[in-house]
Amino acid sequence: MSELAQYADLLTPIHQFLHCKTPQAWLDEARKPERLPLLLVDHMNCELKAAQTAMLLLRKYVAAPESQTGLLEWLKPYEHFIYRGEGSLPELLAQNKISKNIIAKNAAPYAQDILDPMILLIKEELHHFTQVLEIMEARDIPYQSITAGRYAKGLMQAVRTHEPCTLVDKLIIGAYIEARSCERFAALAPYLDAPLAKFYVSLLRSEARHYQDYLTLAEKIAGESIALRVQQFGELEAALIQTPDSDFKFHSGSPTPLK
């Protein structure tokens, strides 16, 4: 599609960072009309999970005790919608306009480095959450509870258990998840109807920036080369994307066979 041509400079470093492209078998499955409801529901879940991941980083590494309650309250309406079936689109749209002031821990060594990009990431992911919900409602697609796929769990199993290595690994994982989302949005867009394709193309710039923010943070906090860890996680991520996966999700592997 012609809209993607203007994003060539943005997508080139994404493709260089990732160790593989989305398998054609996944695209062939994702383009089926009957897969669209599950795809959108899982996409909406992924946006919340991305916001939750950034929030956990803020709460563990940045926020002072007096900011913890406010941070938790920020995500509650979205979590209640997903986990309890409570709330509505208008309520969520109003919620995301709230500005959050975070007080950092005095001894947090990377507080400001983490704070600004993670706050922006949370705001954008929650905005994307409501955008997907708007699309679902416009197409009369109800929200349904679905189980999590293997992708994020598979990456997290390789995280080291001592700081700052734990934080560095989580940031590298964040970079790969965002980069894969960007690559997959671009790969999927040509197979979708025009309004939905336009939406996925519109997400590319923010997803690419999120990937770079995570990677830049990982490099800064490590204080040394992270090339080996980036390589290791890249190989693991590619394996999860390329190997047969009996589940179908937005970040699932090659769909053979499907549930």
Side-chain angles (χ1 to χ4, degrees), residues 54-240:
M55 184 67 73
L56 286 171
L57 294 176
L58 286 177
R59 294 183 60 228
K60 182 172 183 178
Y61 297 102
V62 177
E66 53 266 42
S67 293
Q68 295 286 334
T69 300
L71 285 172
L72 289 173
E73 290 296 323
W74 192 4
L75 292 190
K76 270 188 179 180
Y78 303 89
E79 293 171 335
H80 286 182
F81 183 89
I82 292 294
Y83 305 134
R84 300 183 183 181
E86 299 174 358
S88 66
L89 177 59
E91 291 171 341
L92 295 176
L93 289 171
Q95 170 70 17
N96 203 33
K97 295 176 182 177
I98 298 174
S99 176
K100 299 298 173 185
N101 295 315
I102 310 301
I103 301 172
K105 301 174 184 177
N106 291 332
Y110 320 111
Q112 205 59 45
D113 295 324
I114 297 173
L115 182 60
D116 293 338
M118 290 303 105
I119 287 291
L120 178 59
L121 187 148
I122 291 169
K123 288 182 177 180
E124 290 181 335
E125 303 291 17
L126 294 180
H127 176 57
H128 298 162
F129 180 102
T130 57
Q131 285 182 299
V132 178
L133 182 55
E134 285 180 305
I135 291 169
M136 290 173 59
E137 291 195 355
R139 296 172 183 240
D140 293 321
I141 297 174
Y143 177 77
Q144 57 180 320
S145 179
I146 59 175
T147 58
R150 71 181 189 182
Y151 181 75
K153 183 179 180 181
L155 291 171
M156 288 298 294
Q157 287 177 344
V159 170
R160 292 170 289 183
T161 58
H162 55 284
E163 298 289 4
C165 295
T166 300
L167 176 56
V168 170
D169 284 355
K170 288 180 179 179
L171 292 170
I172 294 172
I173 289 173
Y176 272 108
I177 292 174
E178 298 292 339
R180 178 59 63 188
S181 297
C182 186
E183 183 268 348
R184 195 152 274 193
F185 291 155
L188 181 60
Y191 297 96
L192 302 173
D193 61 68
L196 199 54
K198 183 177 180 180
F199 168 63
Y200 278 117
V201 171
S202 75
L203 300 179
L204 298 182
R205 199 166 300 282
S206 60
E207 299 301 311
R209 189 181 66 255
H210 296 167
Y211 130 77
Q212 191 59 62
D213 284 345
Y214 271 122
L215 196 60
T216 299
L217 270 174
E219 291 170 340
K220 187 167 188 176
I221 290 170
E224 59 185 16
S225 174
I226 59 172
L228 178 59
R229 289 302 285 171
V230 170
Q231 174 73 19
Q232 291 169 338
F233 276 110
E235 292 171 356
L236 174 57
E237 196 272 346
L240 290 166

